[in-house]
Amino acid sequence: MTDEVILGYCVKEKTQKPMNNAQLITLKNGKQALQGVCASCGTKMTKFVSAKKVAPVSA
Ligand SMILES: [Zn+2]
């Protein structure tokens, strides 16, 4: 159940792609986001998440 695929928007490919190495970060404004790299091309991607929808991310 830990093998959850996280989709993020890849700005390079202009489409949704699975995110690798996703880490939950907290922004200066208190919002949370998942930051990782595109599984397809390696571009850094950020996916904003709502606080109530945050899923635990295994390291
Ligand atoms: Zn990509």
Side-chain angles (χ1 to χ4, degrees):
M1 294 294 286
T2 57
D3 200 17
E4 182 181 357
V5 175
I6 300 170
L7 288 177
Y9 182 79
C10 178
V11 295
K12 188 173 181 180
E13 298 171 275
K14 295 183 172 63
T15 186
Q16 297 256 320
K17 291 286 183 176
M19 184 189 296
N20 278 348
N21 303 324
Q23 293 186 358
L24 188 65
I25 61 169
T26 303
L27 306 175
K28 289 180 181 178
N29 60 12
K31 291 188 177 181
Q32 290 187 307
L34 285 168
Q35 202 167 65
V37 294
C38 175
S40 173
C41 70
T43 295
K44 189 176 179 182
M45 53 169 49
T46 302
K47 175 185 176 71
F48 293 96
V49 293
S50 57
K52 61 181 178 180
K53 200 179 176 185
V54 171
V57 178
S58 57

